Amino acid sequence: MTTASIQTLTRRRVLPVGENGTLWETRSSYGIFELHGMRLRIAVENPAEVLFPTDCGLSLVAALNGDNAPDLRAVNALDIGAGSGLYSVALLAAGAERVTALDINPASAVQTEANVVANGLDAARLHCVTSPLEEYTPDEKFDLVITNPPHLPYDPSYARGDGLETALVARRGGRAVYDSVVERVEVLLAPGGTLLMAHSSLADIPRTVTELTTRGYEAETLEVFEMDIPLLAYAEHKETMLTLLKERRATGRAEFDGSRFTVHALMFRRPGNATGR
Ligand SMILES: C[S@@+](CC[C@H](N)C(=O)[O-])C[C@H]1O[C@@H](n2cnc3c(N)ncnc32)[C@H](O)[C@@H]1O
């Protein structure tokens, strides 16, 4: 594979070893994050069914506070793998005109709507869709697509069959949803539109960047975050998962050092002119 062209940064934010949830104020059942000076709250009713946001997901929100972040006002956005609605809430609060929150897990729609309402945002601007991304063919194209796909490799030995598994683990060595986003992006994103991705270094960042830049997308790294590999939910199977990850690292498809990995807040622009709204 050729080396991907990407506009590089980059400042790296190193999060503390042994901790998760450092990018927001967490309580047992909710957390508060800041976006453009607003304090926004995300609750998760059942963390075994809907992922309580992790530093991996929050890293992209943190990057949206940065100088290079895109203007979110008035966009028509698609939140792929909405989960708790973390990004849907952020986008609506930042002035998105409309957000479609897509998730394969039906519990996500309920939680996303509850979080939008709890933040005093207009639920009429939110449209929740329960569907696998692979089967979702909207009759519109979006100005902005945002996503934090599952990034850990699947193995039958630690299958749990719940929403947490769907949120964290994916086939094809953890790349399945990244691959679907790359395959389907032209169906989803308008010419000139922006794709924002929290991309784990465990899931082959160069591959995603190469596949999109060879199709003419501009790629930019907004920020890089270093943090612990989130193995808490898989504590009993840590060694199996690390063995799978090491195999992928040996063939250049994962990058990590001990129990530390990085999440890159990536921004891609689809070639072409936006048609304007
Ligand atoms: C890592 S979680 C991200 C949740 C939230 N965006 C965040 O950052 O906290 C990934 C989400 O993708 C959803 N998901 C997994 N596979 C999917 C698929 N094939 N189609 C649609 N959603 C999927 C999961 O249910 C989960 O909510």
Side-chain angles (χ1 to χ4, degrees), residues 35-53:
L35 181 65
H36 305 321
M38 293 174 286
R39 286 171 63 79
L40 299 161
R41 176 189 164 111
I42 296 292
V44 170
E45 195 96 346
N46 180 357
E49 269 315 315
V50 173
L51 180 74
F52 190 68

Side-chain angles (χ1 to χ4, degrees), residues 174-192:
R175 270 210 56 98
V177 182
Y178 290 97
D179 287 342
S180 298
V181 172
V182 169
E183 273 158 31
R184 297 187 57 75
V185 67
E186 269 95 40
V187 175
L188 305 171
L189 189 64

Side-chain angles (χ1 to χ4, degrees), residues 78 80 133 136-138 140-143 145 180-181 184-190 270:
L78 173 65
I80 298 177
L133 167 62
Y136 177 59
T137 308
E140 60 182 334
K141 285 197 180 6
F142 298 91
D143 310 314
V145 173
S180 298
V181 172
R184 297 187 57 75
V185 67
E186 269 95 40
V187 175
L188 305 171
L189 189 64
R270 183 178 170 183

Side-chain angles (χ1 to χ4, degrees), residues 12-268:
R12 179 184 284 209
R13 266 206 244 181
V14 180
L15 307 188
V17 174
E19 286 183 38
N20 178 42
T22 51
L23 285 173
W24 64 340
E25 291 171 32
T26 46
R27 306 284 180 272
S28 55
S29 59
Y30 69 93
I32 292 172
F33 66 95
E34 277 200 30
L35 181 65
H36 305 321
M38 293 174 286
R39 286 171 63 79
L40 299 161
R41 176 189 164 111
I42 296 292
V44 170
E45 195 96 346
N46 180 357
E49 269 315 315
V50 173
L51 180 74
F52 190 68
T54 63
D55 282 338
C56 179
L58 283 154
S59 62
L60 184 52
V61 178
L64 291 178
N65 281 308
D67 295 340
N68 298 343
D71 188 354
L72 302 173
R73 284 170 299 176
V75 294
N76 180 18
L78 173 65
D79 177 2
I80 298 177
S84 60
L86 172 67
Y87 298 157
S88 295
V89 166
L91 293 171
L92 287 170
E97 182 180 299
R98 193 159 179 268
V99 174
T100 300
L102 173 81
D103 206 292
I104 194 171
N105 177 0
S108 163
V110 179
Q111 194 63 77
T112 295
E113 187 165 355
N115 278 318
V116 164
V117 171
N119 282 283
L121 299 164
D122 180 6
R125 286 158 54 212
L126 174 75
H127 173 54
C128 292
V129 178
T130 299
S131 163
L133 167 62
E134 297 71 16
E135 291 170 18
Y136 177 59
T137 308
D139 51 16
E140 60 182 334
K141 285 197 180 6
F142 298 91
D143 310 314
L144 185 126
V145 173
I146 190 165
T147 188
N148 166 30
H151 64 132
L152 297 173
Y154 170 82
D155 189 83
S157 67
Y158 48 70
R160 309 164 47 116
D162 60 8
L164 193 63
E165 174 175 328
T166 315
L168 292 175
V169 161
R171 306 286 170 134
R172 291 190 238 158
R175 270 210 56 98
V177 182
Y178 290 97
D179 287 342
S180 298
V181 172
V182 169
E183 273 158 31
R184 297 187 57 75
V185 67
E186 269 95 40
V187 175
L188 305 171
L189 189 64
T194 301
L195 168 64
L196 289 170
M197 225 184 220
H199 206 315
S200 164
S201 68
L202 303 178
D204 202 347
I205 297 173
R207 177 172 174 162
T208 301
V209 172
T210 301
E211 289 192 1
L212 289 171
T213 53
T214 37
R215 273 147 57 185
Y217 283 69
E218 285 170 27
E220 191 179 335
T221 306
L222 297 177
E223 206 160 343
V224 175
F225 298 78
E226 182 190 312
M227 62 187 81
D228 285 348
I229 301 176
L231 290 170
L232 208 58
Y234 289 92
E236 276 173 52
H237 302 280
K238 186 174 164 189
E239 290 314 316
T240 311
M241 194 174 281
L242 282 173
T243 301
L244 292 175
L245 287 170
K246 282 178 191 164
E247 283 166 15
R248 296 188 68 78
R249 181 172 63 184
T251 53
R253 291 174 296 168
E255 271 186 40
F256 61 101
D257 187 2
S259 62
R260 305 284 283 174
F261 80 122
T262 55
V263 178
H264 295 221
L266 300 182
M267 178 165 74
F268 299 95

